[in-house]
Amino acid sequence: MSAAYNGNEQALIDPTALHPFLLFAQRYAFHPNESSSERVAYMNAIIIVEAGAGSLRMDGRIYPIKPGTLVYIPAGKTHRWQAADHDPMVHRTAYFDWNPLRRPFAHEGQFFHGVSAHSAPLSKYMDEEPAIGIEPVSTVANLPLWLSYHDRFITIPGRIGGGAEIGEAIRLRGEFQVFLSLFLSKACKDSRGTGDPRIRELLKLIASRAEFEEPELVLYAAQIGLKRSRFYALFREETGLSPKHYMTRRKLHRIKCDLRQSDASITQIAEKYGYSSIHVLSKNFRKHIGLTPSEYRRQCRM
């Protein structure tokens, strides 16, 4: 299940829980007037437009595409490409998971699911996006520099494998992580320093502590001289969520990390996060995630 959040929820992230994993990268030249089907991908994509023109339809918007356009498409996001009739676009692509995910398919075409298909995409094979505020479309100033970084890990679907090529696979994925760092410094909303600095400082404080509850947010607002209504408005403007919803998302994110990465029982996890019983945790988890904790853990480990 994709967890693409609105706004900048940097405080939800535990950086040690992220292991960006390159699946494949390639150069793709469109034919004149070529269009993709309306589709979603099981993994995330970063696209640099090397040359040509076209458009991208995503989130009800049509983005004009030109050389230097930088695009981020998270897993599960419906989108469609359309190349220009004259001078069609050329893409440099990188398809990756934020955390490695085992899937029974390994070829490029199988990573995509057509929206018009009769079946729904399988949520257990969908990468989960961390709560990072990433601009979907931006522009790079030094296109040759970006292409030089991409050249270091360009490959083809299925090329990044194990066996005798494991050393080369590790090198390619290492080069991709350098590129990903460059991308995040450019495309992350948090890196631009916009928004209210008091709320940004609060988000950093939240990120630095394992436990942080909603009443502490209200106390913080009083300490910096903000009325409750103004504080809530600024908080929603910065994160896209109310303080209560934000803290709920943060707690659920940490619970999901425990379910994926630890062998603690569901009862132990419920106690760790202050739930009165496993039943209360399961009810709350299912309400927001669509699965019980046991179902979520089982899907992640299949």
Side-chain angles (χ1 to χ4, degrees):
M1 176 172 293
S2 177
Y5 306 130
N6 293 320
N8 170 23
E9 299 175 60
Q10 185 75 24
L12 292 178
I13 301 168
D14 176 4
T16 62
L18 292 182
H19 305 280
F21 190 82
L22 178 67
L23 295 165
F24 64 92
Q26 62 182 354
R27 182 180 186 271
Y28 183 80
F30 282 76
H31 299 296
N33 208 34
E34 179 183 351
S35 64
S36 68
S37 60
E38 193 171 28
R39 63 188 186 177
V40 299
Y42 284 101
M43 69 298 194
N44 314 281
I46 299 172
I47 297 101
I48 312 168
V49 181
E50 177 181 332
S55 63
L56 168 67
R57 180 186 294 274
M58 185 168 65
D59 284 336
R61 294 182 57 183
I62 298 178
Y63 297 93
I65 300 298
K66 61 182 181 180
T69 301
L70 184 64
V71 178
Y72 172 67
I73 305 177
K77 180 73 68 175
T78 301
H79 63 281
R80 182 172 186 172
W81 295 99
Q82 176 67 56
D85 193 12
H86 301 286
D87 192 22
M89 56 195 170
V90 178
H91 286 184
R92 292 291 195 100
T93 64
Y95 292 99
F96 71 101
D97 288 331
W98 286 105
N99 281 289
L101 193 62
R102 292 183 179 180
R103 302 181 179 94
F105 44 85
H107 301 292
E108 178 188 4
Q110 295 174 304
F111 283 119
F112 298 94
H113 184 90
V115 172
S116 60
H118 296 296
S119 60
L122 298 173
S123 61
K124 64 182 177 181
Y125 298 134
M126 190 77 69
D127 187 39
E128 181 176 337
E129 183 190 16
I132 305 176
I134 298 177
E135 291 287 0
V137 178
S138 53
T139 304
V140 300
N142 191 340
L143 180 57
L145 174 66
W146 284 78
L147 296 180
S148 72
Y149 273 94
H150 191 271
D151 284 339
R152 299 175 187 177
F153 60 88
I154 193 167
T155 180
I156 58 174
R159 172 72 173 77
I160 306 179
E165 298 180 341
I166 189 168
E168 176 67 0
I170 291 172
R171 184 194 69 78
L172 289 168
R173 288 182 170 129
E175 295 286 6
F176 166 71
Q177 293 201 15
V178 174
F179 170 82
L180 182 61
S181 175
L182 177 68
F183 167 74
L184 291 175
S185 69
K186 167 65 181 176
C188 270
K189 297 176 183 178
D190 188 58
S191 67
R192 300 177 307 169
T194 57
D196 191 286
R198 296 168 295 184
I199 304 301
R200 292 202 307 274
E201 284 302 312
L202 173 60
L203 295 179
K204 291 179 182 178
L205 178 61
I206 293 172
S208 70
R209 291 173 49 181
E211 298 296 334
F212 207 103
E213 300 298 333
E214 187 185 0
E216 295 179 84
L217 299 180
V218 178
L219 178 61
Y220 174 87
Q223 290 174 342
I224 61 175
L226 282 175
K227 292 184 178 180
R228 186 185 181 98
S229 58
R230 178 59 177 162
F231 169 71
Y232 274 56
L234 288 173
F235 194 94
R236 182 179 288 278
E237 183 179 319
E238 185 73 19
T239 67
L241 299 169
S242 69
K244 181 177 181 179
H245 195 180
Y246 184 93
M247 301 309 289
T248 298
R249 281 284 180 88
R250 180 176 186 261
K251 180 178 286 189
L252 289 171
H253 177 80
R254 295 173 62 216
I255 290 172
K256 287 192 290 183
C257 287
D258 280 0
L259 289 169
R260 290 195 306 268
Q261 299 169 14
S262 81
D263 292 322
S265 68
I266 308 299
T267 299
Q268 289 171 325
I269 292 174
E271 292 175 352
K272 177 180 177 179
Y273 291 99
Y275 288 92
S276 58
S277 69
I278 188 174
H279 173 73
V280 174
L281 169 60
S282 295
K283 182 178 180 180
N284 184 261
F285 195 88
R286 188 182 186 92
K287 175 183 176 182
H288 292 277
I289 308 302
L291 300 167
T292 66
S294 297
E295 290 169 341
Y296 179 82
R297 171 174 273 175
R298 188 162 53 249
Q299 284 200 1
C300 290
R301 298 187 177 184
M302 286 181 66

